[in-house]
Amino acid sequence: MTTSKFTLPPFLRSSLRSSLSMTLMWVGLVITVCFILIAIFAPLLQNLGLIQDPTASLINPIHEAPSFSHWFGTTRQGYDVFARTLYGTQAALKVVILATTLSLLIGVPLGLVSGYLGGVADRILLFLMDTVYTLPGLLLSVTLAFVVGRGILNAAIALSISYVPQYYRVVRNHTTSVKTELFIEAAKAMGATPRRVLSRYLFLNVIQSVPVLFTLNAADAILILGGLGFLGLGLPEEVPEWGYDLRLALDALPTGIWWTALFPGLAMALMVTGLSLLGEGLSEIFNPRK
């Protein structure tokens, strides 16, 4: 005697999955927007006296546990952890937005042109991009950071190189499949130039996956930036940055000063979670599963 396993009807499974994806996307969006607002209004909060200068040490530097005067405590150097955590959001967003935007502006056009034209140039570009893609992102970023040096723009450049192949591969693969469609052939038969075919017909049909990739790369870039900061290769020391603050907190942990590592680490984890949830939700919208 065999027992049948109960399964939900396909339409109900699809509805539940869609509802869960939308819920997670909205949670991720709210978290991401909160961090964006923190980055925008942190200087205003400092001007109003609600938070301290993140780069100003106390007159008599001594670590203090979280209290009403210092909500997240202070470091052994006398810096206010709450202020540095808020301003760390600003530094992270600047680098992440620059890095993902640079990689998008380079990878998308290359993928479009390479996939549409094909030939020797396409094979060479594909080989180069695959070579870069096989390298671990953190290792590549560390190597590039040694070359370009520290700073917001330099960190963004070091991060963006590892993301260009991802945009290139996604856009190229979509372009090679879409360019054989009948509406593309009809446009070329009506005299449309390659530039017009690329910009008007192909671009809008292959760009759907880019927002998903953008958010997921942003989440990954925050982790890599934190790794660079932890190694002392990210931003200058005077710029509050979560990875660098975790590096400073490493020596303080054995002495029981837990708060200097907890709050920057939580901020980094929460921001990465928000962007990841947003990316997964967008993926369900643009590429729904049956």
Side-chain angles (χ1 to χ4, degrees), residues 205-228:
N205 283 277
V206 303
I207 204 68
Q208 292 93 339
S209 298
V210 169
V212 179
L213 195 57
F214 188 92
T215 53
L216 296 178
N217 280 346
D220 185 66
I222 290 174
L223 293 175
I224 295 181
L225 177 64
L228 291 178

Side-chain angles (χ1 to χ4, degrees), residues 52 58 60-67 69-76 78-81 257 259-260:
Q52 299 185 18
L58 301 177
N60 298 311
I62 184 173
H63 60 270
E64 296 183 15
S67 63
S69 57
H70 301 284
W71 291 357
F72 289 179
T74 63
T75 67
R76 293 201 298 181
Y79 297 120
D80 185 77
V81 178
I257 309 175
W259 54 88
T260 57

Side-chain angles (χ1 to χ4, degrees), residues 95-235:
V95 174
V96 166
I97 291 173
L98 276 174
T100 48
T101 302
L102 281 173
S103 55
L104 183 151
L105 292 177
I106 296 172
V108 170
L110 282 178
L112 273 171
V113 174
S114 178
Y116 181 70
L117 297 180
V120 177
D122 174 56
R123 290 194 292 271
I124 293 175
L125 274 174
L126 187 60
F127 173 77
L128 292 175
M129 293 297 173
D130 284 348
T131 302
V132 176
Y133 186 74
T134 57
L135 300 174
L138 179 58
L139 178 61
L140 180 60
S141 298
V142 167
T143 304
L144 292 171
F146 272 114
V147 177
V148 298
R150 301 170 72 173
I152 288 179
L153 180 58
N154 291 343
I157 292 173
L159 288 170
S160 65
I161 299 300
S162 61
Y163 298 131
V164 170
Q166 298 183 34
Y167 290 101
Y168 169 84
R169 286 161 61 96
V170 168
V171 173
R172 177 196 174 273
N173 291 342
H174 284 184
T175 302
T176 54
S177 61
V178 173
K179 73 177 183 179
T180 58
E181 296 289 339
L182 290 177
F183 71 94
I184 299 293
E185 297 297 331
K188 291 191 291 186
M190 294 175 63
T193 62
R195 181 177 178 180
R196 185 173 179 83
V197 172
L198 285 170
S199 61
R200 182 169 182 176
Y201 299 102
L202 279 174
F203 178 77
L204 294 178
N205 283 277
V206 303
I207 204 68
Q208 292 93 339
S209 298
V210 169
V212 179
L213 195 57
F214 188 92
T215 53
L216 296 178
N217 280 346
D220 185 66
I222 290 174
L223 293 175
I224 295 181
L225 177 64
L228 291 178
F230 189 81
L231 296 173
L233 299 172
L235 306 183

Side-chain angles (χ1 to χ4, degrees), residues 21-91:
S21 298
M22 290 299 295
T23 301
L24 293 178
M25 188 196 72
W26 280 109
V27 171
L29 181 61
V30 169
I31 294 173
T32 303
V33 169
C34 286
F35 275 103
I36 293 174
L37 293 176
I38 288 172
I40 293 173
F41 290 106
L44 177 61
L45 294 176
Q46 181 186 339
N47 292 336
L48 293 175
L50 299 178
I51 63 173
Q52 299 185 18
D53 184 349
T55 61
S57 176
L58 301 177
I59 297 177
N60 298 311
I62 184 173
H63 60 270
E64 296 183 15
S67 63
F68 286 109
S69 57
H70 301 284
W71 291 357
F72 289 179
T74 63
T75 67
R76 293 201 298 181
Q77 295 79 21
Y79 297 120
D80 185 77
V81 178
F82 181 65
R84 291 187 67 85
T85 301
L86 294 189
Y87 269 90
T89 305
Q90 194 176 76

